[in-house]
Amino acid sequence: MFFVEVLMVFEKKEECGLFGIFGDPQAVQKTYFGLYSLQHRGQESAGIASSDGEFIHVYADMGTVGRVFRSGRGVLEKLANPIAIGHVRYSTSGSSKAVNSQPFFTEYSRGQVAVAHNGNIINASLLRDEYEAYGSIFKTTSDTEIISHLLAKPSHVTKPDTLGHVLNHLQGAYCLLFLFADRIEAARDPYGIRPLCIGQTQEGYCCVASETCALDAIGAKFIREVEPGEIVTLNKKGISSRYFVKQGTVKPAHCLFEHVYFSKQNSTIFGQNVHEFRKKLGKQLAKEHPADADVVIPVPDSGTSAAIGYAEQSGIPFDMGMVRSHYVGRTFISPSQSLRELQVKLKLAVVSEVVAGKRIVVVDDSIVRGTTTRGKMLTLREAGAKEIHMRASCPPIRFPCFYGVDFPTKQELVANNKTLDEIRAFLGVESLGYMSLEGMLSCVSKPSDNYCTACWNGKYRIPVDVPVNKFSMEKYQMGLFEKGEEF
Ligand code: SF4
């Protein structure tokens, strides 16, 4: 028997989610709810660090929020109010194991600190090498741990703004929450790659979260985003702000894939509601790739908003031809092909009555390896679909992400191995249409050069000198990367 993750049927993985709140007598409980609403960003581990104003307490473990903090374990009750930060993780750097669960706790010369991170620090391996050469000992294989070492370095703690100084050593994508005994510091990288926002509860307590859906979950109202290159402090005096890079010197590179796939439909990120953005994508897709069909169906959930837009624009009726089960997590199963196919069906079930005998347009957010999409098309065909017109609401993905999203390797991406017609034949569909990059960028609310589009066009805004992937820390430590290795 092998341990197989049913979620593997989805080929690109969420990254991480952050939540923090200051001063609330129910800070721990609200962090729990905030994390619950961010569960789509990572299901491998969950953790909360909290402070009673003097000491920090941490609990983090493998599993979903509901599992790690399930009632009866008494974990939430042992954590102290009124300051808390929380983290849900999908590993984009470092293996999926308990020691890499966050927040990370450290005691150093200036006291206690817990750190939670969303993103990927691309120079973490190099920094770690440097520190190890001077005898530093690392407990994890996550890129995040280097931040604690940077904070504790004697020549850094004496700087007027230690945190700002430390952040200037980091390259890559990072939204960070630091819990000190008396405050929370929230920081966002100078490119603003991942989202991070500030809210306020009805009682007036300040909070921070990866997405606004977490603010909604605790009844808080959205105040504003943490700006790229900004550090926001939440303490007894309220909220204060400072910048660790000069404002206006770095052009933002917001991750457009957050809008296409990762973020929740009810969230507003980068100044635009996710559902509205995806609907616009669907409308644009219908203009670029019309189809003569009877019904438009989404691959739920990430394809749903775009499918609604496609149906509205084309005038073809929308219907739910596939239903996603939200209750399928991990399962033990033998690794045969037939049982793997059953896994896909368990996660995505077809409503035969909607598709049988029909010419259908299927809208999905993206096509990555192609194998999963092929499985979905096969299931629709088995259910009696007469014609299948596959539409992807983003362009062909051809390049890996080094900024916190776990895609397959470049070689595994179907768009690098096959022509458009070969992909169509591989999927077994009558027609195939991908959104154009220009079309996708016509749907954003900010100037188009404010977004990262590297996984589609290979234009990396932050140079990557050393190959970075989920296992970089392990591989780099073992010397498995050759100089000049292609990535
Ligand atoms: S490469 Fe793609 S997934 Fe990665 S940050 Fe850029 S847009 Fe997002």
Side-chain angles (χ1 to χ4, degrees), residues 92 120 193-194 255 262 399-408 413 452 454-455 460 468-469:
T92 55
N120 236 14
I193 295 176
R194 305 272 150 235
C255 170
F262 290 118
F399 300 91
C401 174
F402 302 117
Y403 309 143
V405 173
D406 187 24
F407 282 132
L413 296 167
C452 174
C455 47
Y460 294 99
V468 185
N469 71 13

Coordinates of all heavy atoms in Angstrom, one line a residue, residues 92 120 193-194 255 262 399-408 413 452 454-455 460 468-469:
T92 N 6.0 24.5 -0.7 CA 6.7 24.9 -2.0 C 8.2 25.0 -1.8 O 8.9 25.1 -2.7 CB 6.2 26.3 -2.5 OG1 6.4 27.2 -1.4 CG2 4.7 26.2 -2.8
N120 N 8.3 32.2 -1.6 CA 9.5 31.4 -1.8 C 10.7 32.3 -1.7 O 10.8 33.3 -2.5 CB 9.5 30.7 -3.1 CG 9.7 29.2 -3.0 OD1 9.6 28.6 -1.9 ND2 10.0 28.6 -4.1
I193 N 4.4 40.2 -4.7 CA 4.0 39.0 -5.5 C 2.8 38.3 -4.9 O 1.8 38.0 -5.6 CB 5.2 38.1 -5.6 CG1 6.3 38.8 -6.4 CG2 4.8 36.8 -6.3 CD1 7.6 38.0 -6.5
R194 N 2.8 38.1 -3.6 CA 1.6 37.4 -2.9 C 0.8 38.5 -2.2 O 1.3 39.5 -1.8 CB 2.1 36.4 -1.9 CG 3.1 35.4 -2.5 CD 2.3 34.2 -3.0 NE 3.2 33.6 -4.1 CZ 2.7 33.4 -5.4 NH1 1.5 33.7 -5.7 NH2 3.5 33.0 -6.3
C255 N 1.3 38.2 -8.6 CA 1.1 36.9 -9.2 C -0.3 36.8 -9.9 O -1.3 36.8 -9.2 CB 1.3 35.8 -8.2 SG 0.8 34.2 -8.8
F262 N -5.6 30.5 -7.6 CA -5.4 30.2 -6.1 C -6.4 30.9 -5.2 O -6.9 30.2 -4.3 CB -4.0 30.7 -5.7 CG -2.9 29.8 -6.3 CD1 -2.0 30.4 -7.1 CD2 -2.9 28.5 -6.0 CE1 -1.0 29.5 -7.7 CE2 -1.9 27.7 -6.5 CZ -1.0 28.2 -7.4
F399 N 6.5 27.5 -18.2 CA 7.7 27.8 -17.3 C 7.3 27.5 -15.9 O 6.2 27.7 -15.4 CB 8.1 29.2 -17.5 CG 8.5 29.6 -18.9 CD1 7.5 30.1 -19.8 CD2 9.8 29.4 -19.4 CE1 7.8 30.3 -21.1 CE2 10.1 29.6 -20.7 CZ 9.1 30.2 -21.6
P400 N 8.3 27.0 -15.1 CA 8.1 26.8 -13.7 C 8.0 28.1 -12.9 O 8.4 29.2 -13.4 CB 9.3 26.0 -13.2 CG 10.4 26.4 -14.2 CD 9.7 26.7 -15.5
C401 N 7.4 28.0 -11.7 CA 7.3 29.2 -10.8 C 8.4 29.1 -9.7 O 8.5 28.0 -9.1 CB 6.0 29.3 -10.2 SG 5.8 30.6 -9.0
F402 N 9.2 30.2 -9.5 CA 10.1 30.2 -8.4 C 9.7 31.0 -7.3 O 10.4 31.3 -6.4 CB 11.5 30.6 -9.0 CG 12.0 29.8 -10.1 CD1 12.2 30.3 -11.3 CD2 12.3 28.4 -9.9 CE1 12.6 29.6 -12.4 CE2 12.7 27.7 -11.0 CZ 12.9 28.2 -12.2
Y403 N 8.4 31.5 -7.4 CA 8.0 32.5 -6.4 C 6.9 31.9 -5.5 O 6.0 32.7 -5.1 CB 7.5 33.7 -7.1 CG 8.5 34.3 -8.1 CD1 8.0 34.9 -9.3 CD2 9.8 34.3 -7.8 CE1 8.9 35.4 -10.2 CE2 10.7 34.8 -8.8 CZ 10.3 35.4 -9.9 OH 11.1 35.9 -10.9
G404 N 6.9 30.6 -5.3 CA 6.0 30.1 -4.3 C 4.8 29.2 -4.8 O 3.9 29.0 -4.0
V405 N 4.8 28.8 -6.1 CA 3.8 28.0 -6.6 C 4.4 26.7 -7.1 O 5.5 26.7 -7.8 CB 3.0 28.6 -7.7 CG1 2.0 27.7 -8.3 CG2 2.2 29.8 -7.2
D406 N 3.9 25.6 -6.7 CA 4.5 24.3 -7.1 C 3.9 23.7 -8.3 O 2.9 23.0 -8.3 CB 4.3 23.3 -5.9 CG 5.0 22.0 -6.1 OD1 6.0 22.0 -6.8 OD2 4.6 21.0 -5.5
F407 N 4.5 24.0 -9.5 CA 4.1 23.4 -10.7 C 5.0 22.2 -11.0 O 6.1 22.1 -10.4 CB 4.4 24.4 -11.9 CG 3.4 25.5 -12.0 CD1 3.8 26.8 -12.2 CD2 2.0 25.2 -12.1 CE1 2.8 27.8 -12.3 CE2 1.1 26.2 -12.2 CZ 1.5 27.5 -12.4
P408 N 4.6 21.3 -11.9 CA 5.5 20.2 -12.4 C 6.7 20.9 -13.1 O 6.8 22.1 -13.3 CB 4.7 19.4 -13.3 CG 3.3 19.8 -13.1 CD 3.3 21.2 -12.6
L413 N 5.4 19.8 -18.3 CA 4.3 20.7 -18.8 C 3.9 20.4 -20.2 O 4.7 20.4 -21.1 CB 4.7 22.2 -18.6 CG 5.0 22.7 -17.2 CD1 5.7 24.0 -17.2 CD2 3.7 22.7 -16.4
C452 N 3.1 39.6 -12.5 CA 4.0 38.6 -12.9 C 3.3 37.6 -13.9 O 2.2 37.2 -13.6 CB 4.5 37.8 -11.7 SG 5.5 36.4 -12.2
A454 N 5.3 35.1 -15.5 CA 6.5 34.3 -15.9 C 6.2 32.9 -16.3 O 6.8 32.3 -17.1 CB 7.5 34.4 -14.8
C455 N 5.2 32.3 -15.6 CA 4.9 30.9 -16.0 C 4.3 30.8 -17.4 O 4.2 29.7 -17.9 CB 4.0 30.2 -14.9 SG 2.6 31.2 -14.4
Y460 N 11.0 36.4 -15.9 CA 11.1 36.4 -14.5 C 11.5 37.8 -14.0 O 12.6 38.2 -14.4 CB 12.0 35.3 -14.0 CG 11.5 33.9 -14.3 CD1 12.0 33.2 -15.4 CD2 10.6 33.4 -13.4 CE1 11.5 32.0 -15.6 CE2 10.1 32.1 -13.7 CZ 10.6 31.4 -14.8 OH 10.1 30.1 -15.1
V468 N 15.6 26.6 -8.0 CA 14.8 26.6 -6.8 C 13.6 25.7 -7.1 O 12.9 25.9 -8.1 CB 14.2 28.0 -6.5 CG1 13.5 27.9 -5.1 CG2 15.3 29.0 -6.4
N469 N 13.4 24.7 -6.3 CA 12.1 24.0 -6.3 C 11.8 23.5 -4.9 O 12.4 23.9 -3.9 CB 12.1 22.8 -7.3 CG 13.0 21.7 -6.8 OD1 13.4 21.6 -5.7 ND2 13.3 20.8 -7.7

